[in-house]
Amino acid sequence: MATAADILGVHRNGKIPARWSKHYLRLCAERDRLSARDCCAPGTSPSKLDDLTDAASDESEANLSLVAVSATKDAIFEVLAAIRRIECGTLWICELTGKPIQADRLKVIPWARYSLQSQSELEKAGRCESAACPNWDR
């Protein structure tokens, strides 16, 4: 039986530096938690055409489900990218400046691609590229 890591193509290669191993395991656990979510498109219940309130409620619920699925898929992408950066030895490097990302920032957002300063500059320029931060305490 294939594991989530097999399906997603993520395998621990044994070359993870000891100082990153805790971070790596945390990201793998987050990947598995997010992957376990039901990301199927929501089913639609056939509402009676004469009951517009129920039809509107069903459509609103379906739209919220699609937003949640999209956010989950975005978060999985970011977590997988961070796992690859650990495996490549570049996790702690800001993709914009090439300088180290603050350890405190990576504790809060373990898949952060940019230093806090670079992220702020991107947001000011209207180029925010970070995914939503899933709640680690769920």
Side-chain angles (χ1 to χ4, degrees):
M1 184 169 161
T3 66
D6 295 331
I7 294 168
L8 296 170
V10 178
H11 300 283
R12 185 168 182 169
N13 62 12
K15 297 180 183 178
I16 305 302
R19 67 184 174 132
W20 292 355
S21 63
K22 228 175 162 179
H23 203 80
Y24 182 86
L25 293 174
R26 185 177 179 199
L27 285 165
C28 288
E30 183 66 5
R31 174 205 59 211
D32 294 343
R33 185 186 71 77
L34 290 167
S35 297
R37 287 185 180 175
D38 181 10
C39 288
C40 298
T44 57
S45 62
S47 298
K48 294 181 180 179
L49 198 52
D50 58 346
D51 193 350
L52 294 178
T53 304
D54 284 345
S57 177
D58 290 347
E59 184 175 342
S60 178
E61 186 176 313
N63 287 338
L64 288 174
S65 293
L66 289 173
V67 168
V69 166
S70 178
T72 297
K73 287 181 179 182
D74 289 347
I76 289 171
F77 174 82
E78 291 298 329
V79 169
L80 290 174
I83 289 170
R84 282 190 298 276
R85 289 193 304 275
I86 286 178
E87 293 170 343
C88 294
T90 61
L91 177 72
W92 299 90
I93 307 299
C94 175
E95 291 183 3
L96 191 62
T97 64
K99 295 179 180 177
I101 298 173
Q102 303 84 350
D104 288 345
R105 177 164 171 75
L106 286 170
K107 285 180 185 174
V108 176
I109 307 172
W111 51 86
R113 295 174 179 266
Y114 309 107
S115 66
L116 185 57
Q117 181 180 355
S118 294
Q119 183 71 43
S120 295
E121 290 173 12
L122 286 170
E123 289 172 3
K124 285 179 189 174
R127 294 180 37 213
C128 181
E129 299 176 19
S130 65
C133 180
N135 183 349
W136 286 95
D137 299 326
R138 287 187 203 165

